[in-house]
Amino acid sequence: MRVRVRLFAQLRERAGRDELWLDLPEGARVSDALAEVSELAAGLPLVLAVNRDYAKPDRALATGDELALVPPVSGGAAVSALLTAEPIDEAAVRAAVSDPRAGAVVVFSGVTRDVEALEYEAYAEMARPRLEAIAAEARARHGLCAVAVAHRTGRVTLSEPSVVVAVSAPHRAEAFAGAREVIDRVKAEAPIWKREPDGWVKGTVPTTS
């Protein structure tokens, strides 16, 4: 059977084209296709998608399928941090941690409750690097595959996410522990402030080194 393989970013540059076709035996899986392009993909952990849906290596392929090999997002790093005034795309945050090595993905979404809306203000020039550092340190400490964190600024209405954390790991224990560390540290360390209808929420004084 023939499978179309789409190439992006570093892979497209390496191959000198944006797609190629593979002839695979019947019953082949994503992992078989990946093995065929192993030299091309050397050194790059990949997000895999079949017919525009993210897929694991054991996903079966069929004639005419489109397999996309997507290098890591967010500048090629295994850490993604976003501070935005726009609604958070929870699916995109989860997709940012897709990794063929991962056996567990944990996503935490903190939403506005009890009130019509909350207001968030951030010292953006400091908050973004802090989010990145928290994510990177948690990834190293817990052996995570990837970490993504997105935090809102501005007005966040009832039931809308103000912060989303996603982590992927080989096993669930590390994934849960990593996600817990990221959200706890974001709340304690990132220079982001929350205003409720009756005033600013009293926070903690970040530690300094």
Side-chain angles (χ1 to χ4, degrees), residues 55-75:
K56 292 186 177 182
D58 62 356
R59 164 79 176 266
L61 296 171
T63 297
D65 276 349
E66 179 183 281
L67 174 65
L69 306 183
V70 186
V73 297
S74 301

Side-chain angles (χ1 to χ4, degrees), residues 124-158:
E125 295 85 351
M126 185 176 176
R128 287 192 186 94
R130 190 71 224 137
L131 294 177
E132 292 174 355
I134 290 169
E137 290 164 14
R139 177 175 177 261
R141 190 180 345 270
H142 299 283
L144 306 175
C145 299
V147 182
V149 55
H151 206 297
R152 280 291 305 277
T153 58
R155 189 172 189 268
V156 183
T157 58
L158 182 66

Side-chain angles (χ1 to χ4, degrees), residues 146-183:
V147 182
V149 55
H151 206 297
R152 280 291 305 277
T153 58
R155 189 172 189 268
V156 183
T157 58
L158 182 66
S159 298
E160 187 179 359
S162 58
V163 58
V164 177
V165 172
V167 307
S168 59
H171 306 289
R172 65 180 181 275
E174 293 91 336
F176 278 113
R180 177 64 179 266
E181 175 176 325
V182 172
I183 187 58

